[in-house]
Amino acid sequence: MMDNTPPTSPGLKRAPQRGAPAVPPLQKGAVRERWSFRRQPPVFSPLSVRALLHAAAAASGRAPDPRPGLQRLLAATFVADRVELTGSGTQALELAMRTVWWRAGTDAPSVVALPAFGCFDIATAAVGSGLSIALYDVDPDTLTPDLDSLRSILAGGVKIVVVAHLFGYPIDWNGLQECAAPFGAVLIEDAAQGHGARWWERPAGALGSLSILSFGRGKGWTGSRGGALLQRGPAALDAPPHRLANPVPRDEASALGTALAQWMLGTPGLYWLPASIPALRLGETRYREPVPLSRMTRAAAAMIWTSGPLATTEMFARRSNAWELLARLPFSDHVRPLRRQLGGDPGFLRLPLRLSHGLAGFRDAGHARRLGIAASYPSTLGQLEPVRERLVGPETHWPGAEILVRELVTLPTHSRLTNRDKATLVRVIEEYRRTPEAR
Ligand SMILES: Cc1ncc(COP(=O)(O)O)c(C=O)c1O
């Protein structure tokens, strides 16, 4: 395991650093800058006019169906033998669970193991698959599975395990396989948040025999929505009889409309507009009921295909910003970085930190939110009613996950952050240490 000192980049030293604006000493009220309507979106997933035009042409049938080409691109990029394009990452994950369960045969226990801390969509997929759920704990220092907790679930006979690279922090895949192999369990790699993450130079999404990707609006590489199930090895040829519904014109129009709104409003100057409409519930983590499985729309596939190079450029900007922030942030008992796994190169969809009092420890939580600082998931998966109804297994408490619910906060890393934005983020985190509540 490693700590989060940046890789060998001589330009990145603790503040003040060469080539970056020095952080002025903290003054009373310094963080209360005039932000007018500026508000940072959580993630910037680039789309271009060209991508939107391509999507419109593909959706209306004026351009050839982009989905076979996208399947080949993903198969080559993520070294997969079979690629299925789905309506969302959640659907891809549900399809993965159904596939493993179908292959295991009806004698296998109908239980899937999930991380106790993570995106609620993981729970949605499990509920949609009809399987019972066992939860394993998550290590609060690394965001990776607590292997002792996972082992105790596997010892109970569970054969299907979902593991997620949370916030793009790669999991030690070898360690995980060594844990699962003696029990004959199949690992499903959830790389929905893994864009740009690498583990020993292999991309997240290319590590498991089954992996899923998401192309939702906050995933860095987007088609406004969409997902993919990638499979490798001989079992990939063994296709289960699951049918995915074909998208109808309304689905195509809806994918295009969402993308257009995202393209127009997903920047710091305009994001306040959708963020101030309560009905949109942006930035809110909530449980969503499963929907019937469907194929990806042509519009989404066209956008994903066309915006790939932009997403790669954005990913480099994200990583550079994250490393710069890690080099400049004042770490202490109140503000702690997450540890990377050996060989893990995070994609930094956002920058996760552990703050002793979470978002509540900021002097002005509203200001922190406008800067793009966000609390993480508001509860463990074990606290969700639909999960509790299906819960099996020995554990009823997940101490690591509970710490993460209280303490994990994420910072934006996207390319729309200016030098001033980054300096302000550093300053409010410095302030955090000085608030009475955080002492
Ligand atoms: C870890 C994880 N898995 C699955 C999903 C579901 O992806 P989608 O939003 O494309 O349904 C998400 C979405 O946020 C996620 O973060």
Side-chain angles (χ1 to χ4, degrees):
M1 299 228 244
M2 302 167 77
D3 70 14
N4 268 318
T5 45
T8 51
S9 173
L12 293 177
K13 299 210 177 101
R14 293 216 168 251
Q17 62 177 102
R18 221 182 309 152
V23 182
L26 193 73
Q27 286 162 10
K28 198 163 174 256
V31 295
R32 294 178 187 281
E33 291 169 29
R34 223 172 283 140
W35 273 79
S36 59
F37 290 114
R38 206 170 143 77
R39 189 181 174 115
Q40 293 295 344
V43 175
F44 179 67
S45 307
L47 282 172
S48 59
V49 176
R50 198 169 143 254
L52 292 169
L53 291 176
H54 184 192
S60 63
R62 280 184 290 111
D65 187 345
R67 291 173 291 193
L70 180 62
Q71 278 172 310
R72 286 194 295 276
L73 174 71
L74 296 178
T77 309
F78 294 94
V79 200
D81 296 313
R82 184 187 183 88
V83 176
E84 277 153 292
L85 301 178
T86 55
S88 69
T90 310
Q91 293 179 25
L93 190 55
E94 180 183 327
L95 186 61
M97 292 177 199
R98 286 175 177 269
T99 301
V100 178
W101 163 235
W102 179 81
R103 285 190 191 134
T106 41
D107 292 347
S110 52
V111 184
V112 60
L114 308 180
F117 177 82
C119 175
F120 290 1
D121 293 341
I122 300 176
T124 302
V127 171
S129 74
L131 297 169
S132 299
I133 297 172
L135 296 176
Y136 61 83
D137 205 3
V138 176
D139 179 344
D141 292 327
T142 60
L143 293 178
T144 63
D146 175 327
L147 294 185
D148 289 335
S149 168
L150 179 58
R151 227 172 262 118
S152 80
I153 285 178
L154 294 176
V158 175
K159 301 285 184 217
I160 312 171
V161 182
V162 174
V163 281
H165 307 286
L166 292 174
F167 303 102
Y169 267 56
I171 289 166
D172 168 13
W173 202 258
N174 279 354
L176 202 58
Q177 274 179 324
E178 275 164 27
C179 174
F183 300 97
V186 177
L187 300 173
I188 299 175
E189 180 194 13
D190 180 342
Q193 300 181 8
H195 182 242
R198 300 181 83 80
W199 185 71
W200 293 113
E201 294 307 320
R202 286 162 67 193
L207 305 179
S209 57
L210 294 95
S211 311
I212 70 107
L213 306 176
S214 163
F215 300 100
R217 17 169 237 272
K219 299 304 190 317
W221 186 12
T222 193
S224 84
R225 61 189 62 157
L229 168 59
L230 315 175
Q231 299 188 61
R232 301 169 186 90
L237 302 174
D238 195 8
H242 300 127
R243 287 199 179 277
L244 306 188
N246 272 320
V248 295
R250 199 186 48 227
D251 301 322
E252 298 285 356
S254 153
L256 264 173
T258 311
L260 195 63
Q262 179 178 344
W263 176 71
M264 289 192 305
L265 302 172
T267 55
L270 288 172
Y271 184 66
W272 63 271
L273 200 60
S276 58
I277 302 174
L280 294 179
R281 302 171 81 172
L282 291 185
E284 222 179 272
T285 303
R286 62 201 155 98
Y287 175 81
R288 287 176 292 197
E289 292 297 334
V291 297
L293 301 184
S294 64
R295 291 179 77 202
M296 183 184 282
T297 58
R298 287 164 170 248
M303 283 185 272
I304 295 163
W305 173 272
T306 314
S307 64
L310 290 178
T312 303
T313 310
E314 173 65 21
M315 177 267 288
F316 282 115
R318 258 192 343 250
R319 285 166 50 156
S320 155
N321 280 337
W323 284 119
E324 183 185 339
L325 287 169
L326 280 171
R328 295 170 68 185
L329 286 170
F331 293 116
S332 67
D333 285 348
H334 295 302
V335 180
R336 297 164 58 183
L338 278 298
R339 271 207 325 269
R340 289 184 291 147
Q341 299 287 298
L342 185 65
D345 213 350
F348 291 118
L349 202 52
R350 292 179 54 80
L351 176 61
L353 298 177
R354 272 177 62 190
L355 303 187
S356 55
H357 290 63
L359 207 56
F362 284 101
R363 180 175 291 174
D364 180 349
H367 181 240
R369 278 197 202 92
R370 284 194 297 283
L371 291 172
I373 301 175
S376 185
Y377 304 116
S379 77
T380 65
L381 295 195
Q383 287 166 284
L384 299 176
E385 198 46 47
V387 172
R388 289 160 72 100
E389 285 166 10
R390 291 165 177 79
L391 205 53
V392 295
E395 307 200 23
T396 49
H397 282 288
W398 303 274
E402 283 154 20
I403 290 174
L404 289 169
V405 167
R406 281 197 306 273
E407 297 189 2
L408 199 75
V409 161
T410 61
L411 270 53
T413 52
H414 55 72
S415 63
R416 298 301 162 111
L417 291 179
T418 61
N419 283 340
R420 187 185 150 133
D421 293 333
K422 285 180 269 183
T424 311
L425 283 169
V426 171
R427 274 207 300 267
V428 293
I429 299 285
E430 277 184 359
E431 276 260 294
Y432 190 91
R433 289 190 305 167
R434 299 181 192 183
T435 56
E437 308 92 278
R439 284 205 185 103

